[in-house]
Amino acid sequence: MSLHPRLEPFLSRRGWRLHPHQEAMLAHAGERAVLLVAPTGAGKTLAGFLPSLIDLASGGREGLHTLYVSPLKALAADIRRNLLAPVEELGLPVRVEDRTGDTPQAARRRQRAEPPHILLTTPESLALLLSHEDAPHLFAGLQRVVVDEIHALAESKRGDQLFLLLSRLEALAPGFRRVGLSATVEDPEAMGRCLAPAPRDATIVRAPSGAEPDLSMMSRRPPPWAGGAALHAIPEVLDLVRAHRCTLVFHNTRAQAELFFHHLWMQNDEGLPIAIHHGSLAREQRQAVEAAMQRGELRAVVCTGTLDMGLDWGEVDLVIQMGAPKYVKRLVQRIGRANHRAGGRSRAVLVPAHRFEVIECVCAIEAAREGDLDGQTRGPGPLDVLCQHILIRACSGPFAADDLYAEVRTAGPYRDLPRADFDACLDFCATGGYALRAYDRWRRLVEHDGLWRLRDPRSARRIRMNLGTIEDKGTLKVRLRGSQAPLGEVEEYFASTLSPGDTFLIGGQIVRFESLREASVEVSRRRDREPRVPAFGGGKFPTSVALTRRILGLIEDRSAWVRLPRHTAEWLDLQARISRLPAWDRLLIETFPAEGRWHAALWGFAGWNAHQTLGLLLTRRMEAEGLDPLGFVATDHALLISGLRPVEAPARLLEPEGLRDGFEGWLAGNAVMKRTFRGVATIAGLIERQMPGLRRTGRQATFSSDILYDTLQRYDPGHLLLRVTREEAQRGLVDWGRIEEMLARVGPRIDHVRLTRVPPLAAPLLLERGRVPVEGRGRERLAEEAAARLLEEAGLDAL
């Protein structure tokens, strides 16, 4: 495919030329599925749209031609701005519009009746479009689907849903072309197979790596031994902000971003224009920050993953990653935000939050330079998402089960879906399952003449209101007293801990809690109090397995310590002389006394979630053996347990079969199962958060889901959603797979080092926050000893 005569002069006037991968995309424009792996800023998005612009440049076409799907609403809006530049300058007869949750209702109705040539949307909005009866008419002429940042979608249930939606589009517009765009795919072939309608249909186009990024680690002075906010680096961060046009300061969590921004602003004596941007802020505030960046008015933005992807702000010339990135892919994605233009060389500085993160940052930088991306293989497509898809299909009209099953199996994650699982999902959508089939509210489908359809067509509205796979954490809007405009939102759990007069941070402002009114947190502004930091979802990210292996490889290789700052190399050397160094294929456990307690440090390197779960299991076993555990603290790299008696035989506590039995028993009666069930049941459509004229609070939804969970456990323990819940809980919240992976790689090779003093690597663990107390005989003994001391002091011990 050659360039259209109207496009070639346009590129020449702007001094642009086609990159080799853009030429390759044009050459492969007629193929069923193409995955373009290109470095950020190398014009990959334009490459995805070039065939569409060429098709549409001559005019005469009506209806939807190209669908663009993005993981972020802001990214869709940004792409629209960038696409309109050549369209308007050349006077191309091409209508480009976006369709997201921010699109006004009137515009949504018009788009269904008179669709634009190019529609930019998200998976959730696409699901809504496909749920309507007019979907066959809307998508009949579809020629191309462009999925941007496909790696970000494929790592979650949003990707599973998107691939199912593509299978539906294939039935409505057979033979449409699929294009996937990404800068950070660790396994392009596997991603291509997911994208394509058949495994052999995928073509992989790899772009040259481009200019090597300028990566460094802030090492002017040693970071503190513990802590996660990296507040120690604020003076150096301000120096970097002064020296650059615009800097993005990335944090891994929203709470850390709020805290850092607050302290950064307090030290911003020059009044540099600095803003904050994260997903819990009001849409209006986020859009104002994005617009100010577009105009080049900001010197820095403290942000989270909301600015990770694709947004094209040419003024950004530096990225600062606060704390270790945990995943190399996340780091590479964020690096690309700086000098996001063709031929630009990205610059990024990593700031370790504490001493151990120095090692992790060094390893992440080396992996990024080598292009060694990490990733986690996802299993087969989840069945709760399939249940929602069946309901989406029913909303748009009757269907035959055999046809839908064949259609679903063209979606990559569901290619090997057993018919029995499909039938179980269909039965759930039709009856709610064995224990619930007597209740009308869950009998949503009915079969007539071999076709399945909605039992009550009016239920389509409620189904549409609850579409999507992003788990609702249960949040409340935060509003200034007397104002309807929200500042943002906080989790219901955090709001429930507030009393009138409490202050907290939101959007970089200190506000005072006044009342809870009409499902909103009503606040007033305050400037004179030390605030709390709200709890937000996604507060912990485990370090990837691939990056963990690099970390342990560096620790084991003394000759590689020259790559570390001197203070960190000396710390490791002291550890080696006093105790032992952790290793990939061995498990180091150190026991030692400190602060009047016995401690056991287990260096599992399995991630925070896994160590948290392991702490709960091991302290239960210790309690059973009379070791009187008092509590534990988990980090990404280690687990530290404290108690009143020393652990003499840790290998026995870690015996895999005993751990597995303890895990199954703990999980069955644990709140984590109910929390996981709530998310699964919401996605599958068993629980509705949104209803006409009413939005249930998270507390109400939790109450309903708990009742349902207990009912199914008692009367239908083999229920489809309970099976999905068990799988999800093990894989996600408790990360049992990482525990099993750790036990498998170390086998019987457990090094138990008994010490009489605190070992160097374990010392920072004693400073970590978030200690989990253990209620048991140990605390009873402490209470008894304290009572005995009081009696003795009062002279009553002899009575």
Side-chain angles (χ1 to χ4, degrees):
M1 178 181 286
S2 60
L3 275 177
H4 191 276
R6 298 173 74 177
L7 290 175
E8 209 154 6
F10 170 77
L11 295 173
S12 300
R13 280 198 308 274
R14 293 195 163 214
W16 292 355
R17 60 180 179 80
L18 290 184
H19 293 282
H21 62 275
Q22 291 172 337
E23 294 174 347
M25 286 294 292
L26 291 176
H28 293 292
E31 297 187 18
R32 292 298 313 277
V34 180
L35 175 64
L36 172 60
V37 182
T40 301
K44 67 177 186 294
T45 304
L46 178 61
F49 282 107
L50 273 176
S52 299
L53 292 178
I54 292 169
D55 282 352
L56 295 168
S58 299
R61 296 189 69 108
E62 295 298 330
L64 181 62
H65 179 281
T66 295
L67 188 69
Y68 166 90
V69 183
S70 155
L72 296 177
K73 294 183 288 187
L75 181 53
D78 185 66
I79 295 300
R80 178 173 177 265
R81 286 191 296 266
N82 290 338
L83 262 184
L84 285 176
V87 167
E88 292 175 353
E89 186 170 333
L90 294 173
L92 298 178
V94 179
R95 283 174 53 211
V96 181
E97 296 181 11
D98 53 3
R99 202 288 190 194
T100 68
D102 294 341
T103 305
Q105 192 63 39
R108 297 184 197 185
R109 286 193 295 267
R110 178 183 52 76
Q111 287 169 348
R112 286 172 52 201
E114 302 174 11
H117 299 101
I118 299 176
L119 184 64
L120 315 170
T121 190
T122 61
E124 293 73 27
S125 291
L126 177 57
L128 276 171
L129 289 170
L130 282 168
S131 73
H132 288 281
E133 297 85 348
D134 58 4
H137 167 73
L138 175 63
F139 294 104
L142 184 69
Q143 299 296 308
R144 186 173 301 273
V145 173
V146 179
V147 183
D148 205 354
E149 309 292 358
I150 189 171
H151 64 280
L153 288 169
E155 292 170 352
S156 69
K157 290 184 179 183
R158 299 181 77 201
D160 297 310
Q161 181 173 54
L162 174 61
F163 294 131
L164 284 171
L165 297 174
L166 292 180
S167 74
R168 180 69 190 132
L169 287 174
E170 186 68 32
L172 300 179
F176 73 87
R177 313 303 180 197
R178 310 175 186 212
V179 178
L181 307 175
S182 178
T184 53
V185 174
E186 74 279 2
D187 189 347
E189 285 71 24
M191 185 68 73
R193 289 192 294 272
C194 267
L195 174 68
R200 297 181 180 179
D201 287 346
T203 300
I204 311 299
V205 176
R206 291 179 173 85
S209 57
E212 183 176 310
D214 177 3
L215 302 178
S216 62
M217 181 179 68
M218 186 177 290
S219 56
R220 188 181 304 178
R221 54 183 174 178
W225 290 108
L231 301 180
H232 68 281
I234 285 179
E236 289 84 354
V237 169
L238 281 171
D239 288 343
L240 289 170
V241 169
R242 293 185 194 98
H244 293 82
R245 293 194 306 273
C246 184
T247 301
L248 293 182
V249 185
F250 279 105
H251 283 266
N252 291 335
T253 72
R254 299 172 187 182
Q256 290 173 349
E258 284 281 1
L259 185 63
F260 189 86
F261 178 80
H262 171 66
H263 286 273
L264 182 70
W265 187 255
M266 296 294 289
Q267 297 185 44
N268 181 21
D269 297 331
E270 301 168 50
L272 296 171
I274 298 173
I276 184 170
H277 189 289
H278 62 70
S280 289
L281 297 180
R283 181 184 68 198
E284 294 78 9
Q285 183 169 344
R286 286 185 275 115
Q287 290 176 337
V289 172
E290 293 160 14
M293 289 184 68
Q294 192 78 22
R295 297 189 298 268
E297 296 173 356
L298 296 176
R299 295 295 298 275
V301 179
V302 177
C303 55
T304 59
T306 51
L307 296 186
D308 267 4
M309 292 175 284
L311 299 167
D312 187 9
W313 289 306
E315 290 298 313
V316 175
D317 55 348
L318 177 66
V319 162
I320 300 177
Q321 167 64 42
M322 305 301 298
K326 305 301 177 186
Y327 268 75
V328 179
K329 283 202 300 186
R330 181 183 293 124
L331 175 61
V332 171
Q333 193 71 42
R334 291 175 174 180
I335 290 168
R337 300 307 100 217
N339 293 318
H340 188 220
R341 60 176 70 89
R345 187 186 186 201
S346 299
R347 186 182 177 213
V349 176
L350 277 67
V351 182
H354 54 75
R355 197 68 61 95
F356 201 95
E357 283 195 345
V358 171
I359 304 171
E360 186 171 340
C361 286
V362 168
C363 291
I365 288 172
E366 292 174 352
R369 285 174 177 159
E370 296 170 15
D372 183 14
L373 303 181
D374 42 22
Q376 186 172 347
T377 303
R378 282 182 60 77
L383 298 184
D384 54 340
V385 178
L386 177 57
C387 290
Q388 185 178 130
H389 185 72
I390 292 172
L391 294 174
I392 292 172
R393 178 65 187 86
C395 286
S396 67
F399 65 89
D402 289 347
D403 293 344
L404 183 56
Y405 176 62
E407 183 181 300
V408 163
R409 278 168 55 91
T410 66
Y414 296 87
R415 202 155 277 149
D416 299 320
L417 176 73
R419 180 61 190 250
D421 283 352
F422 175 83
D423 289 340
C425 291
L426 182 58
D427 178 69
F428 164 76
C429 292
T431 68
Y434 169 75
L436 303 176
R437 64 180 63 242
Y439 298 90
D440 276 358
R441 61 176 298 186
W442 289 302
R443 293 170 56 201
R444 290 163 293 187
L445 303 185
V446 65
E447 186 182 20
H448 285 304
D449 299 327
L451 295 179
W452 290 89
R453 66 191 73 221
L454 290 178
R455 184 167 172 264
D456 181 356
R458 293 172 298 181
S459 66
R461 182 185 178 193
R462 293 175 67 152
I463 292 171
R464 291 184 184 114
M465 291 180 69
N466 290 277
L467 292 185
T469 60
I470 300 175
E471 187 175 346
D472 190 337
K473 301 294 184 182
T475 57
L476 296 173
K477 297 291 185 185
V478 179
R479 305 180 192 276
L480 285 173
R481 175 174 279 181
S483 171
Q484 289 301 310
L487 297 175
E489 58 190 24
V490 294
E491 290 190 4
E492 288 184 17
Y493 169 77
F494 176 76
S496 70
T497 68
L498 296 173
S499 299
D502 286 349
T503 59
F504 63 94
L505 281 169
I506 183 74
Q509 303 180 56
I510 301 177
V511 295
R512 180 183 189 272
F513 174 65
E514 302 292 349
S515 64
L516 189 64
R517 180 171 300 177
E518 296 178 356
S520 295
V521 178
E522 192 172 74
V523 299
S524 57
R525 285 196 174 95
R526 288 293 292 265
R527 300 180 184 275
D528 56 347
R529 298 284 299 275
E530 186 66 26
R532 296 171 62 184
V533 180
F536 295 108
K540 292 288 184 180
F541 294 97
T543 304
S544 71
V545 174
L547 186 53
T548 295
R549 185 153 201 164
R550 274 186 174 265
I551 292 168
L552 282 167
L554 178 57
I555 290 174
E556 290 180 68
D557 185 3
R558 284 175 171 270
S559 65
W561 293 357
V562 296
R563 308 202 302 266
L564 296 170
R566 182 177 175 180
H567 54 74
T568 302
E570 290 175 348
W571 183 37
L572 292 179
D573 181 65
L574 186 61
Q575 169 73 16
R577 286 189 280 116
I578 291 176
S579 178
R580 295 189 64 159
L581 293 169
W584 174 256
D585 59 350
R586 307 189 72 86
L587 179 61
L588 172 63
I589 299 178
E590 301 169 307
T591 54
F592 55 91
E595 302 174 324
R597 306 280 187 270
W598 280 96
H599 299 270
L602 183 149
W603 294 91
F605 287 85
W608 182 87
N609 282 341
H611 287 151
Q612 190 84 353
T613 300
L614 193 57
L616 293 167
L617 298 178
L618 290 180
T619 51
R620 287 184 70 178
R621 300 196 72 181
M622 290 170 65
E623 181 72 22
E625 294 194 10
L627 296 178
D628 297 343
L630 296 173
F632 66 87
V633 64
T635 71
D636 255 358
H637 313 301
L639 168 68
L640 180 70
I641 301 176
S642 61
L644 297 181
R645 300 180 190 275
V647 176
E648 299 291 353
R652 188 172 69 247
L653 296 174
L654 288 162
E655 190 272 321
E657 287 188 12
L659 271 184
R660 163 62 78 172
D661 291 343
F663 172 72
E664 295 290 354
W666 168 77
L667 191 61
N670 195 273
V672 74
M673 287 290 282
K674 290 187 175 181
R675 191 167 59 203
T676 307
F677 175 79
R678 174 184 167 188
V680 168
T682 302
I683 290 173
L686 189 67
I687 297 171
E688 297 174 331
R689 287 298 305 272
Q690 306 276 356
M691 291 180 283
L694 176 67
R695 182 186 188 279
R696 300 166 77 185
T697 67
R699 187 170 297 178
Q700 290 170 328
T702 299
F703 180 72
S704 299
S705 69
D706 286 355
I707 293 175
L708 283 169
Y709 177 82
D710 292 337
T711 301
L712 294 179
Q713 279 281 63
R714 183 174 181 180
Y715 297 107
D716 193 2
H719 193 279
L720 173 72
L721 296 194
L722 290 184
R723 170 157 66 100
V724 176
T725 297
R726 284 190 289 270
E727 294 170 354
E728 293 257 327
Q730 291 188 35
R731 184 171 57 248
L733 289 172
V734 298
D735 229 343
W736 176 252
R738 288 287 291 268
I739 296 175
E740 291 193 313
E741 179 273 331
M742 177 199 75
L743 295 174
R745 66 176 156 86
V746 303
R749 297 176 293 277
I750 296 177
D751 299 322
H752 180 197
V753 181
R754 297 172 175 84
L755 299 160
T756 58
R757 54 176 287 191
V758 180
L761 278 186
L765 299 177
L766 296 170
L767 306 175
E768 284 285 345
R769 296 181 178 180
R771 190 174 300 273
V772 178
V774 174
E775 298 298 332
R777 176 58 189 162
R779 298 208 170 269
E780 292 174 7
R781 275 188 57 193
L782 287 179
E784 291 168 0
E785 291 170 3
R789 285 195 299 271
L790 289 173
L791 290 173
E792 184 179 0
E793 291 172 5
L796 301 176
D797 55 309
L799 296 180

